[in-house]
Amino acid sequence: MKKLIAIAIFVFAGFATAQAQKTAKMEFKSETIDYGEIKKGSDGVRVFEFTNTGTAPLVIEDVKSSCGCTVPKKSEEPILPGETGKIEVKYDTKRVGPIRKTVTVYSNAEEPVKALKIKGTVIDEADDS
């Protein structure tokens, strides 16, 4: 009887360990978006695309930008293993000059905090003449 209980405990512990090792993993197509040179007032919306290459559903808990000129928008639903998701970023192109911003993603992934970058330059057409 003691052997049966011991075997049951080892099986249960092994199963619990296997379940605990299931994790989500975000793999981005690109971790940097380069706007290049864009005109003042143009469309500042870009998208970071990613795939959950892990074995558990991926939940994006929060997305924050390094300033108010960049507004991120996250997927609200969990991303199942093998599925793709996106994080939309809108930069205020009314601000002329260089773009160097960070978008930080907080999730339940293997790497729980991920920094993404946007860069480029907003040019004023009036200055070109």
Side-chain angles (χ1 to χ4, degrees):
M1 184 68 179
K2 288 182 181 181
K3 286 183 183 180
L4 184 59
I5 292 172
I7 290 171
I9 290 172
F10 283 119
V11 168
F12 180 74
F15 180 73
T17 302
Q19 289 293 346
Q21 291 176 350
K22 286 189 174 188
T23 59
K25 185 175 180 183
M26 273 191 293
E27 194 165 306
F28 285 87
K29 282 188 177 180
S30 175
E31 294 180 15
T32 301
I33 290 179
D34 189 350
Y35 282 74
E37 284 192 350
I38 60 172
K39 296 175 185 171
K40 180 180 178 182
S42 30
D43 182 16
V45 176
R46 300 292 185 275
V47 176
F48 286 101
E49 292 182 12
F50 62 89
T51 302
N52 178 1
T53 58
T55 55
L58 171 68
V59 177
I60 298 177
E61 295 157 4
D62 201 4
V63 182
K64 297 194 183 277
S65 69
S66 56
C67 80
C69 60
T70 308
V71 180
K73 189 176 173 183
K74 67 182 178 82
S75 299
E76 294 298 326
E77 298 298 317
I79 312 303
L80 299 177
E83 291 187 355
T84 59
K86 65 182 182 176
I87 296 171
E88 187 177 281
V89 178
K90 182 176 183 181
Y91 182 75
D92 180 5
T93 59
K94 294 177 187 158
R95 300 169 184 240
V96 176
I99 304 169
R100 299 281 181 273
K101 305 297 175 198
T102 301
V103 176
T104 307
V105 181
Y106 301 89
S107 71
N108 69 330
E110 184 177 80
E111 185 179 351
V113 180
K114 183 74 170 174
L116 306 172
K117 306 284 184 194
I118 64 170
K119 65 181 184 176
T121 305
V122 178
I123 55 174
D124 190 350
E125 284 192 331
D127 292 342
D128 290 343
S129 43

